[in-house]
Amino acid sequence: MLIALGVTGGIGAYKAVEVARGLQKRGHEVVAVMTHSATRFVGPATFEAITRRRVITDQFEAGMNADIEHIALASTVDLLLIAPATANIIGKLANGIADDFLSTLYTATRAPVLIAPAMNTQMFEHEAVRKNLDTLAARGARFVAPGEGYLACGWIGKGRLAEPDAIVAAAEAILRPDGPLRGQRVLVTAGPTFEDFDPVRFIGNRSSGRMGYALAAEAARRGADVTLVTGPTALEPPAVREVVKVRGAAEMHRAVMLRAGDMHVVVMAAAVADYAPLECAGQKLPKDGDTLTLVLRKTPDILGDLGHRRVSKGGGPLLVGFAAETENVVAHATAKRENKQADFIVANDVSRSDAGFDVDMNAVTIVGAAGAESLPLQPKSRVAEEILDRVEKLLAARPAEARHGSG
Ligand code: C5P
């Protein structure tokens, strides 16, 4: 995952080098963002050598604003970690002051924020600093508490930057929380697909992506390494290992097939188009006739292909499919489970206006090997929990090599 490591001007800045190294050892990419005063303690070249990336030291460096870098970085980082965080940066973040790259990045990102304060004991205990820390905590920021010990200013007390190992562990706990799905690679598809038939028009559907996004977020909360393959949606993606944005069914098929071999679980919550225009015109289609005929061709059945690959090759990920039905919900879902060789199918009646497509609630029937089980109308986040409870049970019943194998 990509971590923005904010380094501010405290004596503990040298320890941030160890933090960067520790994060990289665990497979993360680190981009260092140094405040001006941090560069007085440690040279940017040190971070550059360790992270093998350009170190950001200035909002107004030449070339910095060509792609509005703080916004570009804000939307791609999985975690903003500030270590050490001085009283000054804590004050700025708490109060929305954005006068340099790091403070601007904080206001621009929606990634989780982890702060490791470091300052003199008196400063740390000052009412203004405490208030700012409380404000940040209430906003969801998390902290690695400073340690007690000998401080650079000669005091003995609380305020010394936490040890790099503790900071790395805290970052890992946010990025890869411990949980029942820890170590499991889970791919979730979400959203509709858009099937273009000219440069400005497409055939789509009313899926909002909420069910798939809720599943991806819940699987990540349970510690899984989550890949979200998403069709076009207006939703903010959850913090997961990888988000792959696709448009049409064929592109989604490629994205899923490429990754499925490495997965322990694939949940196909996307409302994939069943048919797509045979051709996409190079130019906008003119409005010449009273009618317009589009020839559609069946799209590749992603779940079906995964199911059949599993049958022919053996092994393969646990497969969960969805079925959006308007009638005979259980019968259709049961047939779908057989046809696609899925472990279970989550069926919803999309003719209901209070559940299913484009609303926050869902009432589903889960059709598995043992039959059908209807769940009450509940938020999609709860439905995601129910689905993953069943995934966990099925995983536990699988042979150990399928659960822990390299895929
Ligand atoms: O066949 P039907 O579209 O009703 O099946 C729905 C399930 O199959 C969903 O899980 C959906 O994500 C998946 N699907 C697919 N590829 C398609 C169409 C649907 O994987 N082309």
Side-chain angles (χ1 to χ4, degrees):
M1 299 217 194
L2 179 63
I3 300 169
L5 173 62
V7 185
T8 68
I11 181 71
Y14 74 95
K15 286 197 202 167
V17 177
E18 274 308 303
V19 172
R21 206 199 295 273
L23 292 169
Q24 282 182 316
K25 266 196 211 147
R26 283 161 185 78
H28 303 295
E29 283 211 45
V30 177
V31 51
V33 179
M34 301 180 76
T35 60
H36 183 65
S37 49
T39 61
R40 307 289 288 267
F41 288 90
V42 190
T46 309
F47 283 100
E48 192 167 316
I50 300 269
T51 61
R52 284 179 228 101
R53 272 176 176 262
R54 192 170 61 79
V55 174
I56 301 172
T57 50
D58 191 352
Q59 178 96 341
F60 299 107
E61 233 167 85
M64 274 311 257
N65 296 297
D67 58 353
I68 321 186
E69 191 158 356
H70 59 273
I71 303 295
L73 190 61
S75 57
T76 48
V77 292
D78 298 298
L79 175 71
L80 171 59
L81 163 62
I82 305 180
T86 55
N88 181 47
I89 192 78
I90 287 167
K92 287 205 276 187
L93 305 190
N95 293 288
I97 296 168
D99 67 348
D100 62 6
F101 194 97
L102 184 57
S103 50
T104 310
L105 179 63
Y106 168 79
T107 47
T109 193
R110 294 297 169 263
V113 176
L114 178 63
I115 297 172
M119 65 199 77
N120 154 284
T121 313
Q122 296 283 80
M123 290 171 76
F124 189 62
E125 284 169 2
H126 194 283
E127 197 190 326
V129 175
R130 304 241 57 102
K131 217 168 130 204
N132 289 333
L133 290 169
D134 287 347
T135 302
L136 291 171
R139 227 178 264 153
R142 274 164 280 180
F143 297 91
V144 194
E148 270 187 49
Y150 176 78
L151 302 177
C153 54
W155 283 64
I156 307 249
K158 203 169 166 74
R160 193 176 67 173
L161 181 65
E163 288 310 311
D165 283 352
I167 297 173
V168 170
E172 280 270 283
I174 294 176
L175 292 168
R176 295 196 184 125
D178 207 359
L181 288 177
R182 185 166 194 157
Q184 299 294 314
R185 290 182 292 275
V186 176
L187 186 150
V188 179
T189 65
T193 61
F194 286 178
E195 310 300 334
D196 295 321
F197 58 89
D198 79 12
V200 294
R201 303 188 183 97
F202 60 85
I203 299 176
N205 62 65
R206 286 174 39 212
S207 164
S208 65
R210 275 178 246 182
M211 190 63 242
Y213 277 51
L215 277 159
E218 180 59 24
R221 215 168 289 132
R222 293 179 185 212
D225 247 341
V226 178
T227 299
L228 173 64
V229 177
T230 173
T233 77
L235 303 176
E236 192 67 39
V240 296
R241 189 171 65 84
E242 189 189 17
V243 177
V244 185
K245 293 189 177 174
V246 298
R247 188 168 168 84
E251 200 188 343
M252 184 174 279
H253 183 259
R254 278 194 299 277
V256 173
M257 299 313 276
L258 194 70
R259 293 168 175 82
D262 270 348
M263 298 293 154
H264 297 98
V265 181
V266 173
V267 184
M268 287 287 310
V272 187
D274 293 319
Y275 291 89
L278 191 57
E279 286 174 353
C280 180
Q283 305 298 328
K284 188 179 168 199
L285 291 180
K287 195 168 61 173
D288 315 319
D290 286 339
T291 59
L292 170 70
T293 305
L294 289 174
V295 180
L296 306 181
R297 180 169 50 195
K298 227 180 186 154
T299 55
D301 186 337
I302 309 168
L303 185 59
D305 283 358
L306 290 175
H308 295 125
R309 186 157 94 174
R310 206 166 58 149
V311 169
S312 62
K313 290 196 177 161
L318 195 132
L319 296 177
V320 179
F322 273 68
E325 304 291 349
T326 53
E327 57 178 0
N328 299 332
V329 176
V330 172
H332 285 165
T334 307
K336 212 160 275 187
R337 181 176 171 272
E338 301 250 307
N339 288 341
K340 302 190 186 228
Q341 303 285 337
D343 291 277
F344 64 86
I345 293 278
V346 183
N348 46 8
D349 181 350
V350 288
S351 63
R352 286 174 66 149
S353 62
D354 59 348
F357 273 9
D358 212 14
V359 289
D360 283 321
M361 306 287 278
N362 215 354
V364 302
T365 302
I366 295 184
V367 179
E373 189 188 351
S374 288
L375 305 182
L377 182 68
Q378 53 194 338
K380 285 181 176 171
S381 54
R382 272 292 305 146
V383 177
E385 290 174 24
E386 297 266 12
I387 292 169
L388 290 173
D389 286 349
R390 284 158 183 82
V391 164
E392 277 178 28
K393 274 203 194 108
L394 288 176
L395 282 175
R398 290 191 126 193
E401 65 274 19
R403 261 179 286 146
H404 304 296
S406 62

